[in-house]
Amino acid sequence: MRIDDDAALHAFVESRRTALFRSAYLLCGDRHEAEDLVQSTLVKVVLGGRRHGRLDNIEAYARKTLVNTFIAARRRFWRREQAYGELPDRAVTAPDTDTGLAVRAALARLTARQRAVLVLRYWEDLSVQATAELLGMRESTVKSHTARGLAALRAEMAEELV
């Protein structure tokens, strides 16, 4: 696919932006950060496509760019400033016991790589081999990150649901 073809690029962005956002949200756990992550990813996809001229699988390129951008941001010693319009009047209450919120909260406490592996394996429904190729790691590493990540999620969920 020629990435510099504006119609094809527009069609890709329109059709896959929501799916990329969902994956980004599961990776970072924050709506605004996920929107920024998707925007950065799409900019990189456009620039990378123009630099290379042709991308054989723009979907895979976009997904890999999304995950790599997320992991690179987590490696930094500092995080972006988080501005708040108003400071809360009281301390934050205990997390909601709703299962979806509890899972996302537990997912947010995993390491970036474990989170990326779990999102790719169980949300994106990629195989172990495809996940390993996308993240540039061995299949055995993907399996160990999956096992450790799931064990940590189970432990977190057991505490949340008790």
Side-chain angles (χ1 to χ4, degrees):
M1 169 182 185
R2 294 265 329 150
I3 195 74
D4 55 354
D5 179 11
D6 287 337
L9 178 61
H10 183 72
F12 172 77
V13 170
E14 287 295 317
S15 67
R16 298 304 299 159
R17 184 178 185 91
T18 303
L20 288 172
F21 173 78
R22 287 177 182 154
S23 294
Y25 181 78
L26 286 174
L27 287 170
C28 60
D30 178 65
R31 178 180 175 80
H32 301 292
E33 187 179 350
E35 289 172 351
D36 290 345
L37 182 59
V38 170
Q39 186 67 32
S40 298
T41 298
L42 291 175
V43 167
K44 289 178 181 181
V45 167
V46 170
L47 293 176
R50 289 186 179 154
R51 185 174 46 245
H52 301 302
R54 178 174 175 83
L55 294 175
D56 294 328
N57 189 344
I58 192 169
E59 174 69 29
Y61 184 76
R63 189 180 300 127
K64 183 171 186 168
T65 302
L66 178 80
V67 172
N68 287 343
T69 302
F70 167 73
I71 291 173
R74 292 294 193 246
R75 284 189 192 130
R76 295 190 183 114
F77 292 114
W78 56 272
R79 302 279 168 88
R80 290 185 192 164
E81 178 181 340
Q82 295 184 357
Y84 295 96
E86 298 175 10
L87 292 175
D89 291 338
R90 60 188 190 288
V92 176
T93 59
D96 191 353
T97 58
D98 182 54
T99 304
L101 291 174
V103 170
R104 285 192 292 275
L107 192 61
R109 289 188 282 274
L110 296 177
T111 66
R113 288 198 181 266
Q114 285 176 345
R115 195 175 328 155
V117 166
L118 291 180
V119 168
L120 290 173
R121 291 278 294 125
Y122 297 106
W123 180 257
E124 294 285 337
D125 200 26
L126 294 181
S127 66
V128 172
Q129 180 184 6
T131 302
E133 289 173 10
L134 190 67
L135 295 175
M137 57 178 66
R138 294 180 178 166
E139 289 182 28
S140 60
T141 306
V142 169
K143 291 177 184 177
S144 67
H145 279 309
T146 301
R148 290 182 185 135
L150 287 175
L153 278 178
R154 283 186 191 107
E156 291 275 340
M157 293 305 297
E159 292 175 12
E160 288 283 333
L161 298 176
V162 167

